[in-house]
Structures are given as C-alpha cells and as structure tokens.
Amino acid sequence: MTAALQIRPFEAGDEEAAVALWRDCGLLRPWNDPRKDIARKQAVQPGLFLVALVQGRGGATEFVGTAMAGYDGHRGSVYYLAVAPGRQRLAIGRGLMARVEQELLAMGCPKINVLVRTTNVQVMAFYEKLGYARDDAFSLGKRLIPDL
C-alpha cells in the first residue's frame, strides 16, 4: 500500500476533485449527473463516501481515490470506486475496499454487491483478487428521477 495513504470521509471541498477523478477513470455517463450523485450521497449515509489522499511531491496532498458505499439493512453496495490512472496498482483501491468492508461490517452488513460493467475486464480481475465472485443474478434498473 502507498506509504502515506490517508482514507477519510468525503468533504464538501472534495467535489471537483472527485468529479475530475471519475472523468479521468471513465466512470461518468451522460445520463448520470455526478454532482447530483454526490449530493444524494451526502443526504444518506455520508460517512460511507470515502476518499483517498497521498502526500505528493513537495508535500502537497494529492486526491487519488474514491469509494461510495451504502447499506440498506440487507446488502451493502459499492459505487464510484476509482483510483487515479497514474496511481493504480499501488494498493489504493484495495485500501479503499478494505475500509468500505470494515465500515459495512461494523453496521452488520452480511454481504456486499458490486456492479461492474461487463466490458471492464481489468476491474473484474481486481475484485476477484479481493475475494468477490460472480453471482448468478442480473442487475436491473429503472430511473425514477432523470438527472438531465
């Protein structure tokens, strides 16, 4: 793991860095407004929206990762797991997921579901290394509130 890795809850001043990170990681989609997603998360279980920071060159703090999680009393979910492209494969994502698992376990969460796009083979391998396995289920969705 990166030596100076700090994981903490999201703060209001992190919004621009989070949206830029998600853009850099290819997580944004035209039908989702990331700022609305952040506002919604800040209204429900805000402590489960985590960010990762490292000491950059010259001592400056660098925003390098996010993980947004939730727990509904039955299952936990993880969204917006992202690590800056130049900082991937340094155990930052593993650190974020370990913290998410710790937080959800403390809430009594028995299982975590993670949605991964079928085209994202690299991320599938990442989760499999962390012990996640494919469930025999399909993810279905219905938008109740259009973002755009």
Side-chain angles (χ1 to χ4, degrees), residues 3-126:
L5 181 64
Q6 176 192 1
I7 296 174
R8 63 159 171 78
F10 174 90
E11 297 174 356
D14 297 329
E15 183 172 312
E16 291 307 314
V19 172
L21 174 67
W22 297 343
R23 185 177 306 112
D24 292 347
C25 291
L27 296 181
L28 300 184
R29 294 296 182 259
W31 53 86
N32 274 47
D33 181 331
R35 287 173 177 74
K36 287 182 180 177
D37 286 347
I38 290 171
R40 290 174 180 131
K41 186 62 197 161
Q42 290 308 103
V44 179
Q45 298 175 326
L48 291 178
F49 184 9
L50 304 173
V51 301
L53 309 161
V54 296
Q55 288 296 111
R57 296 184 182 176
T61 301
E62 184 181 343
F63 190 99
V64 296
T66 63
M68 187 184 287
Y71 178 51
D72 63 11
H74 179 64
R75 295 285 186 257
S77 298
V78 181
Y79 307 92
Y80 285 118
L81 177 69
V83 175
R87 296 287 191 158
Q88 293 173 1
R89 299 189 184 275
L90 298 175
I92 295 168
R94 189 177 313 129
L96 281 162
M97 284 303 295
R99 176 73 177 272
V100 164
E101 290 175 4
Q102 178 184 43
E103 297 289 334
L104 290 173
L105 186 59
M107 297 172 81
C109 178
K111 182 177 186 256
I112 299 173
N113 291 330
V114 179
L115 297 176
V116 178
R117 290 186 182 93
T118 56
T119 57
N120 203 340
V121 177
Q122 182 179 357
V123 169
M124 286 296 297
F126 165 79

